[in-house]
Amino acid sequence: MTVRLSAFGRSKKLLHPNQCGSRPGLSSTDACLAFTNEIKTLQRPRLNVSTLFLDIKAGFDNVDACALRARLLGSHVPSYMVDWVSSFLSERTCTQVFQGSPNLSFPVSVGTPQGSPISPLLFLLYVAPLHMSVPRGLMISYVDDFSITVASPSYRDNIRRLQELFSTISARGRDIGVAFSVPKTEVIHWRTPSKRTSPSTAPIELEGHLFRPVGVVRSLGYWFTPALTSTHHFRHRVSLAQAVFSFLKCFSFPGAGVRPFLCHSIATGLLCPILTYGADLLTPKSTALRGMNNIWHRVQRWTTNSFFSTPTSILAREAGLPPIITNCRYRRRLSALRVTCAPPYANPTSARLPQSFPSLSSFRAQDSSWHLTKGLSSVYLPLDWRTRLPPHP
């Protein structure tokens, strides 16, 4: 039923194209790629860009079964699907389980049960009306995490626009019975690495709360700085990998414990994904790459039980673990291949490829800001996809 309803929702446009969570073929990487691409596109005509990050309060617990049924019927969803969803959400009970609790069940009239494969999809269908078109900007979501990006000649104008958009989306949320968790709200003012002026400190006031712009924001596992640099993100990845590796070494002492082939499986299945998460979007700089190499060389020695003086080039071959820079390039190429092969009408990142790019469909995102770059010098534009790059050394 999840597959059928998802396909029907996509064909009948019940889901907004910028909803990226809990949909087949879409991941957090697609949301962040579309998000960062729009920021850089808006910065090319020398506009100031700001983003407001919002989180729906207790999203899955506020889905009204009656309102969802009315929305599905109004969208001409087949009656057997609507009846199945209504039966799935009705006559549910909840039991509190803790030490000394009475074994009593209470009826639950709202919410979707978390853990079911169809619950995230039902939530997406329920909150789809919150999405709106943002001129010179973008609204994108991943399940219950929303981000609103706007651009204008000044950050003060961005604050006013974000306040107006927040009022609009909050009013839409009240109509369907959902609200945003204001204390979790964050705002950031983006800037280019070449910008020499001091960072903007313009705050935003929402529902009586004053939010000052943050220096680093965490979204979908990525750490973003105002200049979209990668050092802060990979510093966190190295710290997390070191903590996990220190814990794993407790189970495998030199010459004993976990066997080498199991160490290899742990390194490729656990440590490498932790260390290289985000490499499909961000490129590690030399400083971050040095820290990543240090922890990866320790993993290679742990896998092979080699001496500390063993050359790293030999370690990589003996352990069967490629260098970390090779893993990062591999992830970037896989991400690029997936984006270029994905249908543009189903992937918000593919929908922002140039119109001249050969694709499965001529569809392109209607809310893209690419038209703002027309007439700019080629210095401010990215390389054309047909440009031949020199071979990598």
Side-chain angles (χ1 to χ4, degrees):
M1 182 57 69
T2 303
V3 176
R4 293 181 183 180
L5 189 57
S6 176
F8 189 87
R10 177 179 294 174
S11 62
K12 297 299 182 180
K13 298 182 180 180
L14 297 179
L15 297 170
H16 196 275
N18 292 340
Q19 288 181 285
C20 295
S22 303
R23 297 176 62 182
L26 293 177
S27 66
S28 58
T29 302
D30 296 301
C32 291
L33 277 171
F35 166 68
T36 54
N37 173 79
E38 201 67 18
I39 291 173
K40 294 181 179 180
T41 301
L42 291 167
Q43 286 178 336
R44 290 189 182 105
R46 299 178 181 272
L47 295 175
N48 294 319
V49 186
S50 303
T51 299
L52 184 68
F53 294 92
L54 303 171
D55 181 80
I56 294 181
K57 184 190 304 181
F60 284 78
D61 298 333
N62 290 321
V63 175
D64 190 336
C66 295
L68 180 60
R69 177 183 175 86
R71 171 167 166 72
L72 295 178
L73 289 175
S75 302
H76 305 290
V77 177
S79 58
Y80 78 92
M81 288 188 179
V82 179
D83 293 339
W84 190 96
V85 171
S86 298
S87 176
F88 176 74
L89 296 178
S90 61
E91 298 182 5
R92 306 195 71 92
T93 60
C94 176
T95 303
Q96 296 181 347
V97 179
F98 56 89
Q99 187 175 4
S101 63
N103 189 15
L104 298 177
S105 298
F106 303 92
V108 178
S109 58
V110 295
T112 59
Q114 297 194 35
S116 172
I118 200 173
S119 293
L121 178 61
L122 296 179
F123 177 76
L124 292 182
L125 292 170
Y126 189 72
V127 300
L130 297 180
H131 276 267
M132 68 185 83
S133 177
V134 181
R136 285 193 179 184
L138 174 70
M139 178 182 293
I140 197 164
S141 68
Y142 189 87
V143 191
D144 59 347
D145 295 324
F146 281 70
S147 66
I148 307 176
T149 301
V150 297
S152 68
S154 70
Y155 290 113
R156 296 289 180 183
D157 292 340
N158 289 347
I159 294 297
R160 285 191 288 269
R161 289 190 61 195
L162 288 174
Q163 288 174 331
E164 294 172 358
L165 291 170
F166 178 79
S167 300
T168 303
I169 194 174
S170 297
R172 292 189 178 189
R174 286 191 293 271
D175 293 340
I176 60 176
V178 299
F180 290 94
S181 179
V182 177
K184 294 183 180 180
T185 302
E186 291 182 305
V187 63
I188 187 170
H189 299 309
W190 307 102
R191 51 191 287 117
T192 59
S194 60
K195 205 167 188 178
R196 298 296 178 228
T197 58
S198 57
S200 174
T201 58
I204 183 172
E205 184 179 358
L206 302 173
E207 297 184 357
H209 296 264
L210 188 66
F211 299 93
R212 300 193 179 278
V214 295
V216 179
V217 64
R218 183 176 184 269
S219 177
L220 305 181
Y222 292 82
W223 293 86
F224 295 111
T225 61
L228 290 176
T229 56
S230 62
T231 304
H232 197 95
H233 172 82
F234 286 108
R235 188 185 302 139
H236 279 269
R237 304 315 304 177
V238 169
S239 299
L240 183 58
Q242 286 177 341
V244 174
F245 183 53
S246 299
F247 177 77
L248 291 174
K249 286 198 301 182
C250 299
F251 300 97
S252 181
F253 299 99
V258 183
R259 295 182 179 182
F261 75 92
L262 292 178
C263 293
H264 180 273
S265 300
I266 293 174
T268 56
L270 177 63
L271 295 174
C272 184
I274 291 175
L275 196 57
T276 59
Y277 180 83
D280 41 15
L281 173 61
L282 303 171
T283 304
K285 303 297 182 182
S286 58
T287 305
L289 194 58
R290 192 180 305 116
M292 297 169 71
N293 281 327
N294 289 338
I295 183 67
W296 194 239
H297 293 161
R298 290 169 54 194
V299 172
Q300 291 170 340
R301 290 189 179 91
W302 173 67
T303 303
T304 58
N305 198 20
S306 300
F307 294 107
F308 186 79
S309 58
T310 305
T312 56
S313 58
I314 298 178
L315 274 177
R317 289 169 173 80
E318 286 292 327
L321 300 174
I324 204 67
I325 186 63
T326 304
N327 284 304
C328 292
R329 290 172 184 164
Y330 177 70
R331 288 183 65 98
R332 283 198 297 273
R333 289 170 181 170
L334 279 184
S335 177
L337 184 63
R338 190 169 61 86
V339 168
T340 53
C341 293
Y345 55 83
N347 191 306
T349 305
S350 303
R352 283 165 173 76
L353 292 172
Q355 193 70 41
S356 60
F357 191 87
S359 179
L360 299 175
S361 170
S362 60
F363 174 85
R364 291 298 182 268
Q366 302 299 317
D367 56 353
S368 175
S369 301
W370 184 257
H371 64 282
L372 299 176
T373 62
K374 290 183 179 180
L376 293 181
S377 171
S378 59
V379 177
Y380 301 100
L381 299 177
L383 290 176
D384 190 87
W385 63 272
R386 290 164 289 201
T387 304
R388 290 183 176 273
L389 296 177
H392 198 279

CSV table of all heavy atoms in Angstrom, one decimal, residues 67 126 130 168-178:
chain,number,residue,atom,x,y,z
A,67,ALA,N,-9.3,14.7,8.8
A,67,ALA,CA,-8.8,15.7,7.9
A,67,ALA,C,-8.0,15.1,6.7
A,67,ALA,O,-8.1,15.5,5.6
A,67,ALA,CB,-7.9,16.8,8.6
A,126,TYR,N,-0.1,14.8,4.7
A,126,TYR,CA,-0.9,15.6,5.6
A,126,TYR,C,-0.3,17.1,5.6
A,126,TYR,O,-1.1,18.0,5.7
A,126,TYR,CB,-0.9,15.0,7.0
A,126,TYR,CG,-1.8,15.7,7.9
A,126,TYR,CD1,-3.2,15.6,7.8
A,126,TYR,CD2,-1.3,16.5,9.0
A,126,TYR,CE1,-4.1,16.2,8.7
A,126,TYR,CE2,-2.2,17.1,9.9
A,126,TYR,CZ,-3.5,17.0,9.7
A,126,TYR,OH,-4.4,17.6,10.6
A,130,LEU,N,1.5,22.8,3.5
A,130,LEU,CA,2.3,23.9,4.1
A,130,LEU,C,3.3,24.5,3.1
A,130,LEU,O,3.8,25.6,3.3
A,130,LEU,CB,3.1,23.3,5.3
A,130,LEU,CG,2.3,22.8,6.5
A,130,LEU,CD1,3.2,22.3,7.5
A,130,LEU,CD2,1.4,23.9,7.0
A,168,THR,N,2.7,33.2,7.4
A,168,THR,CA,1.8,32.5,6.4
A,168,THR,C,1.8,31.0,6.6
A,168,THR,O,0.8,30.3,6.7
A,168,THR,CB,2.3,32.8,5.0
A,168,THR,OG1,2.3,34.2,4.7
A,168,THR,CG2,1.4,32.1,3.9
A,169,ILE,N,3.0,30.4,6.8
A,169,ILE,CA,3.1,29.0,7.0
A,169,ILE,C,2.5,28.5,8.4
A,169,ILE,O,1.9,27.5,8.5
A,169,ILE,CB,4.6,28.5,6.9
A,169,ILE,CG1,4.6,26.9,6.7
A,169,ILE,CG2,5.4,28.9,8.0
A,169,ILE,CD1,6.0,26.4,6.4
A,170,SER,N,2.6,29.4,9.4
A,170,SER,CA,2.0,29.1,10.7
A,170,SER,C,0.5,29.1,10.6
A,170,SER,O,-0.2,28.3,11.2
A,170,SER,CB,2.5,30.1,11.7
A,170,SER,OG,3.9,30.1,12.0
A,171,ALA,N,-0.1,30.1,9.8
A,171,ALA,CA,-1.5,30.1,9.6
A,171,ALA,C,-2.0,28.8,8.9
A,171,ALA,O,-3.0,28.2,9.2
A,171,ALA,CB,-1.9,31.3,8.8
A,172,ARG,N,-1.2,28.4,7.9
A,172,ARG,CA,-1.6,27.2,7.2
A,172,ARG,C,-1.5,26.0,8.1
A,172,ARG,O,-2.3,25.0,8.0
A,172,ARG,CB,-0.7,26.9,6.0
A,172,ARG,CG,-0.8,27.9,4.9
A,172,ARG,CD,0.0,27.5,3.6
A,172,ARG,NE,-0.2,28.5,2.5
A,172,ARG,CZ,0.2,28.2,1.3
A,172,ARG,NH1,0.9,27.1,1.0
A,172,ARG,NH2,0.0,29.1,0.3
A,173,GLY,N,-0.5,26.0,9.0
A,173,GLY,CA,-0.4,24.9,10.0
A,173,GLY,C,-1.5,24.8,10.9
A,173,GLY,O,-2.0,23.7,11.3
A,174,ARG,N,-2.0,26.0,11.4
A,174,ARG,CA,-3.2,26.0,12.3
A,174,ARG,C,-4.4,25.4,11.6
A,174,ARG,O,-5.3,24.8,12.3
A,174,ARG,CB,-3.4,27.4,12.8
A,174,ARG,CG,-2.4,27.9,13.8
A,174,ARG,CD,-2.9,29.2,14.5
A,174,ARG,NE,-2.9,30.3,13.5
A,174,ARG,CZ,-1.8,31.1,13.3
A,174,ARG,NH1,-0.7,30.9,13.9
A,174,ARG,NH2,-1.9,32.1,12.4
A,175,ASP,N,-4.5,25.6,10.3
A,175,ASP,CA,-5.7,25.1,9.6
A,175,ASP,C,-5.7,23.6,9.6
A,175,ASP,O,-6.8,23.0,9.6
A,175,ASP,CB,-5.7,25.6,8.2
A,175,ASP,CG,-5.9,27.1,8.1
A,175,ASP,OD1,-6.5,27.7,9.1
A,175,ASP,OD2,-5.6,27.7,7.0
A,176,ILE,N,-4.6,22.9,9.7
A,176,ILE,CA,-4.5,21.5,9.7
A,176,ILE,C,-4.1,20.9,11.1
A,176,ILE,O,-4.0,19.7,11.2
A,176,ILE,CB,-3.6,20.9,8.6
A,176,ILE,CG1,-2.2,21.4,8.8
A,176,ILE,CG2,-4.1,21.3,7.2
A,176,ILE,CD1,-1.2,20.8,7.9
A,177,GLY,N,-4.0,21.8,12.0
A,177,GLY,CA,-3.7,21.3,13.4
A,177,GLY,C,-2.3,21.0,13.7
A,177,GLY,O,-2.0,20.2,14.7
A,178,VAL,N,-1.3,21.6,13.0
A,178,VAL,CA,0.1,21.4,13.4
A,178,VAL,C,0.7,22.8,13.7
A,178,VAL,O,0.2,23.8,13.2
A,178,VAL,CB,0.9,20.7,12.2
A,178,VAL,CG1,0.3,19.4,12.0
A,178,VAL,CG2,0.9,21.6,11.0
